[in-house]
């Protein structure tokens, strides 16, 4: 509570914070920095997008799950330097617990699978859509939250899982009108990095941290990348070997580098063959420079990009067979992807493929006389029970306003309760498309 402040001779309004006082009494109307409000028209677009995500997930037989947006910080404090964990939105709660707003959904899935302690029949195909958070200190004014659609398959060791996941994401792209001419899915494997590290006798455990550094190659000068690799114990010759492998322009060229029959080559060949069977090969392109910045990937990795290469990744995913065991649980083969709500909306908007769903009711029910309000309520309830979307006017309005409002809410019909018609037990129904008017007994009203 704010107290009077006589000594300065200034009467302060009780209950206003200093910040409000400073702004003449108005609270800050903007959402917290880096976050978005979704007005009804914005949320209708988002619900359309999520509806497409959910429709594809169901077509592929996936089941929906959900976990809290708040997690133990420990779920994300891996030491490999992933940008996503460097920007954790973490804090100590009032119970002294170290918690974080989740920056991604995969660790929560891993926690949930381990919590099932074998009760969840494998293979499981689970999906979720959830808000994810980051806390960037830089003043770039970037968003601090976005929504992600995640699809994961647990318990399938072969690249059939990755093929199924790629087919699902292509099914989504097709549904929203984005073909292979619009989106390319770059595919590679962490096995490429593992092979090069092995050649230079660098411990396999380094592949995660090394990948995080190599993933920054198109954002940092080469010298900085080599410096960070050296800090990880990767000598200059090994760094050169890594960079050469990530520049390989084709699978045959990579095979020439790694040697024939290497596991990474075999699994990629098998994946491209399965992609032909799914009819999605035109979306895919082997690209050894596709690394992905999450340290826990262990095999195939992929990311979706707009063909023009102007936007950030649309989605990304891959195999992460070690994640469950790093949480102390039984290792399980896992593969999945994350698909954000922002880049896809940018791309669809650019292509004029983003629908603008309108607010839509079917009937606008109006009591023309306050004495008929109970009858109007009864008529509205009857229509609602019949499944019609009804906007019941809650106070008297002039007809000019009523017609304007009917247009605003896209009503198909006006249902008017007026004394004359009511005397005969009828209501006046006006079709707003044909302008036809009919008197209908309430009992016949649907
Ligand atoms: O994709 C990285 C990321 C994580 C959380 C929130 C936002 Br915005 N972006």
């Amino acid at each position: 509570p704010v107290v009077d402040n006589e000594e300065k001779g200034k009467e302060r309004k009780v209950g206003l914070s200093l910040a409000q006082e400073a702004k003449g009494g108005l609270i800050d109307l903007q959402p917290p920095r880096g976050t978005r409000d979704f007005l009804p028209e914005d949320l209708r677009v988002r619900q359309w997008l999520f509806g497409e995500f959910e429709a594809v997930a169901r077509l592929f037989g996936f089941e929906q799950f959900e976990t809290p947006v708040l997690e133990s910080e420990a779920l994300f404090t891996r030491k490999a330097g992933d940008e996503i964990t460097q920007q954790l939105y973490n804090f100590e709660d009032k119970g002294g617990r170290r918690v974080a707003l989740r920056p991604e959904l995969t660790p929560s899935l891993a926690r949930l699978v381990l919590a099932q302690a074998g009760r969840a029949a494998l293979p499981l195909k689970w999906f979720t859509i959830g808000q994810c958070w980051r806390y960037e200190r830089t003043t770039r004014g970037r968003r601090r939250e976005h929504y992600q659609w995640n699809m994961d398959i647990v318990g399938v060791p072969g690249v059939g899982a990755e093929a199924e996941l790629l087919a699902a994401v292509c099914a989504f792209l097709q549904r929203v009108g984005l073909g292979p001419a619009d989106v390319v899915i770059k595919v590679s494997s962490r096995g490429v990095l593992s092979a090069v590290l092995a050649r230079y006798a660098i411990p396999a455990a380094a592949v995660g941290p090394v990948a995080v550094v190599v993933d920054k190659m198109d954002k940092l000068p080469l010298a900085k990348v080599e410096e960070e690799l050296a800090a990880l114990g990767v000598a200059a010759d090994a760094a050169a070997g890594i960079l050469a492998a990530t520049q390989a322009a084709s699978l045959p060229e990579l095979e020439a580098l790694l040697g024939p029959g290497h596991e990474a080559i075999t699994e990629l060949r098998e994946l491209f063959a399965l992609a032909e069977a799914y009819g999605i090969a035109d979306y895919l392109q082997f690209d050894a420079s596709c690394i992905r910045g999450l340290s826990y990937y262990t095999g195939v990795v992929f990311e979706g990009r707009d063909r023009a290469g102007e936007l950030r990744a649309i989605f990304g995913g891959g195999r992460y067979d070690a994640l469950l065991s790093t949480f102390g649980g039984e290792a399980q083969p896992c593969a999945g992807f994350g698909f954000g709500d922002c880049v896809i909306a940018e791309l669809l908007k650019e292509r004029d493929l983003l629908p603008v769903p309108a607010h839509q009711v079917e009937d606008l029910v109006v009591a023309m006389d306050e004495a008929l309000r109970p009858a109007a309520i009864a008529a509205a309830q009857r229509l609602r029970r019949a499944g019609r979307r009804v906007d019941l006017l809650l106070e008297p309005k002039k007809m000019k306003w009523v017609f304007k409002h009917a247009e605003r809410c896209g009503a198909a019909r006006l249902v008017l309760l007026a004394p004359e018609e009511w005397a005969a037990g009828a209501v006046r129904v006006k079709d707003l498309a044909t302008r036809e008017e009919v008197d209908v007994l309430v009992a016949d009203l649907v």
Side-chain angles (χ1 to χ4, degrees), residues 36 38 46 50 130-132 145-149 339-341:
R36 298 165 288 175
F38 286 86
R46 196 184 93 190
F50 288 13
Q131 193 174 34
C132 296
E145 53 77 24
H146 72 165
Y147 285 81
Q148 263 200 12
W149 170 40
F339 198 126
D341 68 321

Side-chain angles (χ1 to χ4, degrees), residues 29-32 35-39 42 145:
L29 301 178
Q30 294 311 307
T35 69
R36 298 165 288 175
D37 293 323
F38 286 86
L39 287 168
D42 306 320
E145 53 77 24

Side-chain angles (χ1 to χ4, degrees), residues 359-367 376 380 383-384 388-394 401-402 405-406 408-411 413-415:
H359 173 37
Q360 197 80 57
V361 301
E362 284 159 297
D363 297 328
L364 184 54
V365 175
V366 185
L383 288 163
R384 285 163 174 163
R388 289 184 69 84
R389 283 164 290 159
V390 175
D391 182 356
L392 168 65
L393 288 202
L394 301 176
W401 186 94
V402 170
H405 184 68
R408 269 195 301 266
C409 57
R413 301 189 312 182
L414 271 189
V415 177

Side-chain angles (χ1 to χ4, degrees), residues 338-414:
F339 198 126
D341 68 321
C342 294
V343 178
I344 186 65
E346 243 176 284
L347 180 57
L348 289 171
K349 202 166 184 164
E350 256 178 35
R351 292 274 195 298
D352 206 18
L353 291 169
L354 197 62
V356 184
H359 173 37
Q360 197 80 57
V361 301
E362 284 159 297
D363 297 328
L364 184 54
V365 175
V366 185
M368 302 304 284
D369 175 312
E370 276 313 289
L372 290 176
R373 178 155 299 287
I377 288 168
Q381 289 297 84
R382 183 182 189 81
L383 288 163
R384 285 163 174 163
R385 278 194 297 274
R388 289 184 69 84
R389 283 164 290 159
V390 175
D391 182 356
L392 168 65
L393 288 202
L394 301 176
E395 51 188 3
K397 290 287 181 186
K398 295 195 182 327
M399 276 317 285
K400 187 166 179 286
W401 186 94
V402 170
F403 281 107
K404 190 82 191 91
H405 184 68
E407 195 183 323
R408 269 195 301 266
C409 57
R413 301 189 312 182
L414 271 189

Side-chain angles (χ1 to χ4, degrees), residues 14-26:
V14 175
L16 285 185
S17 70
L18 284 170
Q20 287 173 305
E21 182 77 19
K23 294 182 182 167
L26 185 60

Side-chain angles (χ1 to χ4, degrees), residues 84 87 102-104 132-134 143-146 148:
I84 209 167
Q87 299 175 340
R102 63 189 173 202
E104 55 172 325
C132 296
W133 294 81
R134 69 182 170 195
R143 278 177 294 100
R144 284 186 170 153
E145 53 77 24
H146 72 165
Q148 263 200 12

Side-chain angles (χ1 to χ4, degrees), residues 27 79 81 106 165 173 246 307 316 336 390 392 398 404 419 428:
I27 59 159
K79 298 282 175 287
T106 307
L165 290 162
L173 295 171
T246 56
R307 278 278 177 193
V390 175
L392 168 65
K398 295 195 182 327
K404 190 82 191 91
R428 170 67 53 89

Side-chain angles (χ1 to χ4, degrees), residues 17 71 79 84 94 97 134 155 157 173-174 195 197 213 234 239 242 254 271 360 383 418 440:
S17 70
E71 286 278 11
K79 298 282 175 287
I84 209 167
K94 291 181 176 144
R97 295 174 197 82
R134 69 182 170 195
L173 295 171
Q174 291 285 11
L197 294 185
V213 171
V234 177
I242 289 166
L254 183 67
L271 179 58
Q360 197 80 57
L383 288 163
V440 177

